[in-house]
Amino acid sequence: RCLQRTEELQNLIKDWLTLARVEGGTLVNERVEVDLKQIIPVILNSYEEMAAAELVSLEVVWPEDALFVWGDRNCLNVLFDNLITNAIKYNRPGGKVTVSGCLAGTRIEIAVADTGVGIPEQYRPFLFDEFFRVKGEGAKRTEGTGLGLHISKKIVSEMGGSIEVESQAGIGSTFRVRLPAWHEPLENTEIGSWE
């Protein structure tokens, strides 16, 4: 129990430090070309053991083309790590997590879908608030700080993107992230005009 509590406190401190960097505008340190088809499979591979323990399968559905975004590689890792971890934790035995991507105009859209417990409608407006966790009958009891989705939204906003959720209680949830697609920068373009 002591080891478990220590790990929970370490996770809380880590999330607090990440949140402090986001709030201070110091988390997104670079805006470069990043191929999401390279970093997301690495995250999924790192959670194969966790998913297997939860009896959850992992699937990726990619287009043939690369999915290049303007972004910070470290922040993108934090963002999709949070979403994929939640999709596994809030799933059901025999369930599935599917990550898919596509080019939608000037944006890259990534969807992280699960077949889990879903989110009751009354809780959805608060999902991205600090420390918010779904409670009540039917809620799955999992470890966490309640900061993951808040941090994810801050990262997406700082990169000029958006995040939204679609969910049905008892059926599952899909988180959609839209980020600016990478394009050849114009000469003499300032870093602030990258979107």
Side-chain angles (χ1 to χ4, degrees), residues 19-84:
L19 183 59
R21 290 198 296 273
V22 170
E23 297 287 359
T26 59
L27 187 61
V28 177
N29 292 319
E30 62 179 3
R31 293 180 175 116
V32 297
E33 175 189 12
V34 181
D35 186 358
L36 296 180
K37 284 176 68 175
Q38 290 184 355
I39 68 169
I40 290 176
V42 173
I43 297 170
L44 283 168
N45 288 340
S46 71
Y47 284 107
E48 282 182 349
E49 189 174 323
M50 175 184 174
E54 297 284 335
L55 302 178
V56 172
S57 62
L58 304 175
E59 180 182 38
V60 178
V61 180
W62 289 139
E64 289 185 12
D65 297 332
L67 296 174
F68 290 109
V69 298
W70 278 107
D72 182 297
R73 184 175 297 273
N74 290 331
C75 288
L76 290 166
N77 274 302
V78 170
L79 166 63
F80 290 109
D81 187 278
N82 281 337
L83 296 180
I84 290 167

Side-chain angles (χ1 to χ4, degrees), residues 98-157:
T98 304
V99 181
S100 58
C102 66
L103 175 63
T106 61
R107 305 240 159 191
I108 297 294
E109 180 180 299
I110 301 293
V112 179
D114 66 63
T115 58
V117 296
I119 304 158
E121 187 175 355
Q122 68 266 31
Y123 296 123
R124 286 176 218 154
F126 311 105
L127 275 182
F128 298 101
D129 292 353
E130 287 182 67
F131 301 110
F132 179 77
R133 303 194 73 202
V134 176
K135 297 177 182 175
E137 190 177 344
K140 190 170 180 182
R141 302 181 81 180
T142 62
E143 297 176 7
T145 62
L147 287 170
L149 288 178
H150 180 70
I151 290 170
S152 295
K153 185 167 186 179
K154 290 282 189 181
I155 288 172
V156 170
S157 296

Side-chain angles (χ1 to χ4, degrees), residues 116-120 124 166-173:
V117 296
I119 304 158
R124 286 176 218 154
E166 302 162 8
S167 186
Q168 285 185 272
I171 294 177
S173 303

